[in-house]
Amino acid sequence: MKKSFKLKSLAVTAAVASVMSVTTASFADELRIVSWGGAYQKGQSVGIFQPAAKAMGITVKEDTYGGISDVKLMVKSGADKFDIFSSGAGGCASGGTEGILEKLDYSVIDVSNHLPGMYSDYCAGADIFSVVAAWNTDTYGDNGPRSWADFFDVEKFPGTRAMRAKVDAQLEAALLADGVAMEDIYTVLDSEEGIDRALDKIRSIKDHIAVWWTSGAQHAQLMKDGEVDMTTGWNGRFDVAKLDGAKVAYDWKSGIMDWEGYGIPKNAKNKDLAMKYIAEMMKPEYMAEFAKYITYGPTNTKVYELGLMEDSRARQMPSHPDNAKHQLTLKTAWYAKWRTIAAEKYTEMMTE
């Protein structure tokens, strides 16, 4: 009787161990990644996220989020909602400064073929986009605002505007409109006085700003619906909206070139697998495939060197030399130093 009971106990223990083993293995082979939704994340999913997961033999579950503030909230609360996030360079820079991100292991992640400055200690660059001043062609035809000075000129270009509800690239646009030379933008912004100067420039047109947008999907929809006459926003979102019938145009001369990449929250349980997955996503084949869905250029130069993208498509990318030469490149070091202060001041300006 005792022997029978012992055998049954062993069987139960083995069964539990087996279930735990399967559960642990399943968890170890699964990652959760968050991004911005809309056309952008659709391109990421089809071009990068799922093909990279398949190549590694793992499961990747996707969701959307609201930016670096969501990462901060998760880390500070001890929650466990995602393993990897997609973020603009500025957000990653401030997150690294605040100590809420894991430092990336570049012995695992190969960025040797990346364009200069398109990765940081806390974020591996994946694509390059531009913040531009887009206009409604029903309102202005082909003669819309081709510079930030035009965007801020309410007499020459009367009409409603929209600007982003977050500070990223908005202060740079304001200073360019205020006559600051491209090479001097971050020198001027390297003080509270410079930040205030940019905010005052935005205040000068605040009565004409009808919407403070919070997502790429929103600013694209604003142009599709004709709700505003012009808006700041991301070039690729406007290109997708135009294909969908939006009356929208922009000029690269208003471009502020930025990059998006992948980071890992501090104390992420699947940190090691997340590093390997980011390494896989850095391969040029994925970046070239992603660029078929939205006009955001690759950070890996091999895409161009290996001819993985047709020339006609390459010329639609922000990072193509003919387009990049007109643009300011966002400086991540400034965001690491000033983003928190600038963001607080920017929010106060919006709500005052």
Side-chain angles (χ1 to χ4, degrees):
M1 183 74 177
K2 289 182 179 179
K3 185 176 181 181
S4 175
F5 177 77
K6 186 176 181 180
L7 288 172
K8 287 180 180 179
S9 297
L10 288 172
V12 170
T13 301
V16 170
S18 177
V19 170
M20 289 181 66
S21 176
V22 170
T23 302
T24 304
S26 175
F27 185 74
D29 292 338
E30 180 179 296
L31 289 172
R32 299 154 298 168
I33 190 167
V34 293
S35 187
W36 306 101
Y40 180 67
Q41 188 163 346
K42 181 180 179 181
Q44 286 179 311
S45 180
V46 176
I48 304 175
F49 293 165
Q50 297 310 320
K54 184 177 180 180
M56 292 180 66
I58 64 173
T59 299
V60 170
K61 294 184 177 180
E62 302 177 36
D63 205 347
T64 59
Y65 84 137
I68 200 69
S69 59
D70 284 2
V71 181
K72 182 176 181 179
L73 182 63
M74 185 184 80
V75 172
K76 298 296 184 184
S77 68
D80 179 32
K81 295 182 178 179
F82 49 84
D83 307 296
I84 303 173
F85 62 93
S86 179
S87 171
C92 265
S94 62
T97 300
E98 292 182 47
I100 60 171
L101 306 181
E102 291 287 346
K103 198 168 186 177
L104 298 185
D105 184 352
Y106 286 114
S107 69
V108 175
I109 302 167
D110 181 7
V111 291
S112 61
N113 294 307
H114 270 43
L115 288 163
M118 294 299 167
Y119 62 94
S120 69
D121 284 347
Y122 301 98
C123 200
D127 61 81
I128 301 168
F129 62 95
S130 289
V131 177
V132 295
W135 72 85
N136 187 322
T137 55
D138 275 346
T139 305
Y140 305 109
D142 293 332
N143 300 311
R146 295 184 177 275
S147 67
W148 290 113
D150 286 347
F151 184 91
F152 279 78
D153 191 336
V154 296
E155 293 185 4
K156 184 178 178 182
F157 295 96
T160 55
R161 275 94 165 138
M163 292 188 72
R164 191 178 183 185
K166 291 184 179 179
V167 71
D168 304 60
Q170 310 305 291
L171 299 185
E172 293 93 326
L175 287 183
L176 287 168
D178 206 34
V180 178
M182 195 179 294
E183 61 270 20
D184 296 330
I185 290 296
Y186 289 107
T187 301
V188 173
L189 280 178
D190 195 26
S191 67
E192 291 202 37
E193 291 77 15
I195 293 169
D196 289 340
R197 175 180 172 179
L199 292 171
D200 285 341
K201 185 66 175 178
I202 298 173
R203 285 188 183 95
S204 73
I205 64 165
K206 192 176 174 185
D207 289 344
H208 301 268
I209 300 173
V211 179
W212 298 94
W213 59 265
T214 58
S215 71
Q218 183 186 8
H219 75 58
Q221 195 65 43
L222 289 173
M223 299 309 286
K224 285 179 67 176
D225 295 343
E227 189 174 338
V228 295
D229 296 303
M230 64 181 78
T231 182
T232 65
W234 301 315
N235 72 286
R237 295 287 190 147
F238 295 130
D239 290 340
V240 171
K242 187 174 183 179
L243 290 173
D244 201 28
K247 305 296 184 181
V248 60
Y250 60 85
D251 193 306
W252 290 116
K253 291 183 179 64
S254 70
I256 298 172
M257 201 158 58
D258 196 356
W259 54 272
E260 181 88 5
Y262 307 121
I264 301 172
K266 193 74 173 178
N267 300 320
K269 290 182 174 62
N270 291 326
K271 180 180 74 171
D272 292 342
L273 182 60
M275 291 282 184
K276 294 174 183 176
Y277 181 62
I278 291 175
E280 180 69 20
M281 292 192 291
M282 293 295 101
K283 293 179 178 178
E285 293 80 7
Y286 300 119
M287 294 187 188
E289 186 65 22
F290 167 74
K292 292 179 181 178
Y293 298 95
I294 194 164
T295 47
Y296 292 158
T299 54
N300 190 325
T301 59
K302 287 294 182 181
V303 174
Y304 297 109
E305 293 173 15
L306 298 175
L308 301 179
M309 190 187 307
E310 292 184 4
D311 183 66
S312 59
R313 187 64 171 173
R315 290 180 179 278
Q316 296 177 321
M317 302 296 154
S319 53
H320 189 280
D322 289 349
N323 303 327
K325 66 183 180 182
H326 299 295
Q327 301 179 67
L328 172 72
T329 298
L330 185 139
K331 190 173 182 179
T332 56
W334 181 86
Y335 281 87
K337 181 178 180 180
W338 287 103
R339 191 177 191 274
T340 299
I341 293 171
E344 289 174 357
K345 286 176 171 285
Y346 191 78
T347 300
E348 288 174 6
M349 177 274 302
M350 285 193 303
T351 55
E352 66 190 13

